[in-house]
Amino acid sequence: DTEVTQTPKHLVMGMTNKKSLKCEQHMGHRAMYWYKQKAKKPPELMFVYSYEKLSINESVPSRFSPECPNSSLLNLHLHALQPEDSALYLCASSPRALAGSYEQYFGPGTRLTVT
Amino acid sequence: AQKVTQAQTEISVVEKEDVTLDCVYETRDTTYYLFWYKQPPSGELVFLIRRNSFDEQNEISGRYSWNFQKSTSSFNFTITASQVVDSAVYFCALSEVGNEKLTFGTGTRLTIIP
C-alpha cells in the first residue's frame, strides 16, 4: 500500500476560524512533510518531521502549527489565516528524511480557501 | 545552491506524437539525486523516477524514457506515442546527498490533444 491519505479534500474557512488538516500513511515511513502549492507554482516545503520530531520549519508563520502524534499521522493546525494562505496543501511521506535517497509519496492534497 | 530549470512552461502535442520535457539543473555537489514527478489535474504528485548522479544510464519504462547527461547538467524526459492521460504538469526535482529538501523546477504543463 503506497497510499497517503489527506482529509478534508476541500476546506473553506474564515480568517477567525480554527481548523486542522490531517494526513495519514501506513507504509511504515518515518519522515513526513507538509508542502504548500499555489496555482501554477511548484510545491513549497513548509515542515519536515523525522521520527515524529520536527526537523525543518521553513520559516512558516505561526498561524500554521504542525503536529505529529505518531509515526502514521501528521496534522496541520490552522488559525487566523489570511486570504493569501489559500492554496493546495500537500502531505508527503518517505522511508527516511533524506530527500535524495528516498522518493516521497504524496497525498491528493487539501484545497484550502480562506475568506 | 541548487537550482532546477524547466524552460518549457507549456507544451501541447497531438495524441500519438512523441514529446520531450527538458530539465537543466545546477549543483555544486558531486553526489546528488534527480527526480521526475507528474501532477495530474486531481492534484496528487506521482513519483516517476529517481536517478543518482553516478548512474548516467538512460532509463526506459514503457512509453517513458529519461536521458541523463552530466556533461550538460540535463535530465530530460520523453514520452513516446503520447496519450490523453499523459496530460499533466510535470516537475523535475533535485536533492543533494544528506539533504532533507527537494528543489523543484517550475514545472511544464503538458496537454495532449485528442
Side-chain angles (χ1 to χ4, degrees):
Chain A
D1 181 10
T2 57
E3 188 179 5
V4 176
T5 59
Q6 289 187 245
T7 55
K9 283 192 166 60
H10 300 274
L11 178 62
V12 179
M13 61 185 290
M15 289 190 285
T16 57
N17 291 160
K18 285 186 181 181
K19 296 285 185 184
S20 296
L21 308 185
K22 295 190 175 182
C23 173
E24 192 167 4
Q25 58 88 13
H26 294 288
M27 295 177 276
H29 290 174
R30 303 313 299 269
M32 296 186 78
Y33 310 77
W34 279 116
Y35 288 86
K36 173 183 177 179
Q37 187 178 24
K38 301 283 273 185
K40 298 192 177 184
K41 297 287 187 184
E44 295 174 33
L45 183 66
M46 300 174 73
F47 303 103
V48 179
Y49 272 84
S50 177
Y51 289 90
E52 294 98 71
K53 299 226 181 299
L54 184 65
S55 63
I56 292 181
N57 176 340
E58 289 287 278
S59 303
V60 179
S62 59
R63 57 185 184 269
F64 295 91
S65 175
E67 179 196 18
C68 190
N70 60 57
S71 59
S72 301
L73 289 173
L74 186 65
N75 298 321
L76 186 62
H77 303 296
L78 314 172
H79 174 55
L81 294 193
Q82 304 296 310
E84 58 264 29
D85 297 322
S86 298
L88 180 67
Y89 287 84
L90 293 162
C91 174
S93 73
S94 65
R96 300 293 182 269
L98 291 174
S101 302
Y102 304 97
E103 56 267 27
Q104 294 179 21
Y105 293 89
F106 285 80
T110 293
R111 197 163 294 280
L112 174 67
T113 303
V114 182
T115 60
Chain B
Q2 51 190 28
K3 183 180 177 182
V4 176
T5 300
Q6 293 180 257
Q8 304 151 309
T9 307
E10 295 190 24
I11 300 176
S12 294
V13 300
V14 176
E15 196 173 18
K16 296 184 185 175
E17 288 185 353
D18 299 347
V19 58
T20 295
L21 309 183
D22 298 332
C23 173
V24 174
Y25 62 91
E26 294 176 29
T27 176
R28 294 179 183 171
D29 277 14
T30 56
T31 304
Y32 51 89
Y33 299 86
L34 295 162
F35 301 78
W36 276 96
Y37 281 87
K38 171 183 179 180
Q39 188 173 36
S42 58
E44 179 176 350
L45 270 81
V46 178
F47 165 76
L48 296 178
I49 189 171
R50 174 171 64 91
R51 178 52 54 91
N52 74 54
S53 53
F54 295 110
D55 184 0
E56 283 194 76
Q57 276 193 320
N58 290 336
E59 174 132 355
I60 297 175
S61 175
R63 296 184 297 107
Y64 295 170
S65 62
W66 290 269
N67 184 342
F68 176 30
Q69 292 196 340
K70 286 178 77 169
S71 60
T72 55
S73 297
S74 65
F75 186 43
N76 296 337
F77 172 32
T78 297
I79 301 174
T80 303
S82 60
Q83 299 176 2
V84 172
V85 293
D86 296 326
S87 296
V89 179
Y90 290 85
F91 291 99
C92 181
L94 164 72
S95 179
E96 293 161 347
V97 69
N99 199 327
E100 294 175 302
K101 301 183 196 179
L102 277 178
T103 297
F104 285 92
T106 49
T108 297
R109 181 176 299 276
L110 175 64
T111 302
I112 308 299
I113 304 164

